[in-house]
Amino acid sequence: MKRGSVIGNIAKDFGLDLGRLSARKARISAEDNNVQYCSVNLNTGDLVVHERIDREGLCGRKASCVLKQELVLENPLELHRFSIRVQDINDNSPQFKEESLKFEIRESAVKGARFPLDEAHDGDIGENGVQGYTLQQNDNFSLNIKTKGNGRKYGELVLNKELDREDKNEIMLLFTAFDGGSPQRSGTVVIHVTVLDANDNEPVFSQNVYKSRLPENSPLDTVVLTVSATDADEGVNGDVTYAFDHVLDENQIFTLNPRTGEVKVVGPIDFEKESSYEMQISAKDGLGLASYATLIVEIVDVNDNAPVIYMTSLTNPIPESVSPGTEVGIINVQDRDSENNKQVHCSIQQGVPFKLVPSIKNYYSLVTTEQLDRELVSDYNITITATDEGSPPLSSSKTVQLSVADINDNPPVFEEQSYSAYVTENNKPGSTLCSVTARDPDWRQNGTVIYSLLPGEVNGAPVSSYLSVNGDTGVIHAVRSFDYEQFKSFKVHVMARDNGSPPLSSNVTISVFVSDVNDNSPQILYPTPEGNSFMTELVPKAAHGGSLVSKVIAVDADSGQNAWLSYQIVKSTDPGLFTIGLHSGEIRTQRDISESDNMKQNLIVSVKDNGQSPLSATCAMYLLISDNLAEVPELKDISYDEKNSKLTSYLIIALVSVSTIFLTFIIIVMGVRFCRRRKPRLLFDGAVAIPSAYLPPNYTDVDGTGTLRSTYNYDAYLTTGSRTSDFKFISSYNDTTLPADQTLKKSPTDFADAFEDSDGSPEVGANFPSLFYKLLTHKYYWPNALYSF
């Protein structure tokens, strides 16, 4: 049959679901796993011819030719056995071994003498084999058909008329063999008869059938047995020769010595190919008389075939998420030997999370025994060993490499639980702060880590406006320059995410600390350096050495040693008269005031911080040595910039303002008793506690390291020469930390508290009248205040 010819519908015969043949990987497997003669059509379920089937090549002259096949299905494993019986067709013609048959017949041969002819061979069997013979019409011979013990037919020449050598010494006849096929096939051979003298005895074998047992794999030249035949004639008529009857040279396994009758091995003996041999042996005398015997050689199996392991199905790679007991492969083990030599046991090495589970016949399932983890073991080399029960046993091994496929089951893990980054203020945008690293043991995209900043705010602004992170390297950069005076530290969160599906992530906290640099100069709060105004202090003539005259107040927005201020008088009218505290800024007299001292004293004070590159600021302080303003000859000379001061007008206005301010202040203080939440504002037509105009925009904690020390409390009444003629009132500050809004000023509440006693009643009756009384009566306070106005 041609390739693709339909043999039958195997799916229908076995009752299989046609739609699942492809999914279950249906296939035909021969028991010996050699040539696949048929296959299954997965769409129709038909069993079709895959390779040409030659019955003669497969089964020779066996009456029945059967191919044993198996239909294998997976998921679950299912095995169906079926047999294909190969039917013979008449595709071989009868053939003779020799090109011509030669006979030497003595003329003395009597009528009716018989001369056996060689048997014709036909590869076909049954009706397609040799069914008869015909002989060319002649005057001397006729044909007689005979049957051997095995059922095969051969012909005999029958002498119908005595030979006359003098008349005809050679006779040529055409001998034809034909089979019973349709159409009929035939083969011919020429019979060459030489007329000789008579030979009336034929060789006789010692037995009709010779039998022998021979182990397979017997070495060459092994003697199987020796046949023997005798002839009663003498001379050439009794000279017997032996030969195999109809054995093709290309299939010759044994050889027969024509003289001795010894049968030897000349080819490979393999029980798995042929378990027995049957041959016809002829014995002929010198004139062509012959007799026949049968030789049967049985092959004994030995354990010469190791088991063969076939991996019929394998899932590779295996996802690491498979559960224990999952089938990942199917193994088929075969042994070509017989009986006990064919019984096979299969095993697997120890120490791997797999085992073999016996299934159908020689099939095993390879299943997992525990949960796989690619991060621990990514590849397995599994050695499968098959051993038969022969003596000695034979075994074979097969190594199967299995890879574990990765799944995204591990989130990125940072190398540290938290990170700290230190940066100096005024850094350059784009500078590197630190680097974070996260590891993910997964593979390829499941282990590829991408870094990003989590959304958040720093001082009300998005965190992305301060920092950025490189998504590939985890390096964190500053987006802009930082200012220590705005914030000293902040925290951000960085997320590490892998590229798995779904992605896994983890977070880490980055603490960023800003270091201070000396980038702010000291700012002088008092005396005010703004405009053309100037501050003037009155120093009594009776002041003794060490008396407190005034105080320079300054702040620095930096911190630490960058905000440690030191004061120094760099220039003065009388260098030996006044001194200033190095760290307090207090101006004191060094000695008693004498009559010879200049009434007008000008001091230039330098304030310097303690930074690595120190910054400084200077201010001018104007002092008048006098007990009464009337003693001052020309007040306008105190001002360096205003030459045409209207001091007289200011003094008149001041007297009126004092009275007005006093009445207004009394009204405000009384209102506090009825509205506690609304604190009064202390207004003296400009008399406030160090106005915010004198303060820097940024300053820091001054407890121990700042510039305003809370251990010093002063009540001083100062004067000003500015155009606005403000009355400056300074009260003590006891706060250890400057206000959080970065402005040094007193709130209305603070002023209200300053004038309230412990039980909440105003202190105006106790403090302010006495203050105002001093202004009006005391020789020291009054001139100062009057001049200030």
Side-chain angles (χ1 to χ4, degrees), residues 650-670:
Y650 291 163
L651 292 175
I652 297 174
I653 295 173
L655 293 174
V656 178
S657 299
V658 169
S659 300
T660 304
I661 290 173
F662 176 74
L663 294 176
T664 303
F665 184 79
I666 293 300
I667 296 172
I668 292 174
V669 172
M670 294 299 292

Side-chain angles (χ1 to χ4, degrees), residues 418-429:
S418 62
Y419 292 83
S420 297
Y422 298 90
V423 59
T424 304
E425 68 170 328
N426 303 325
N427 59 293
K428 293 182 179 180

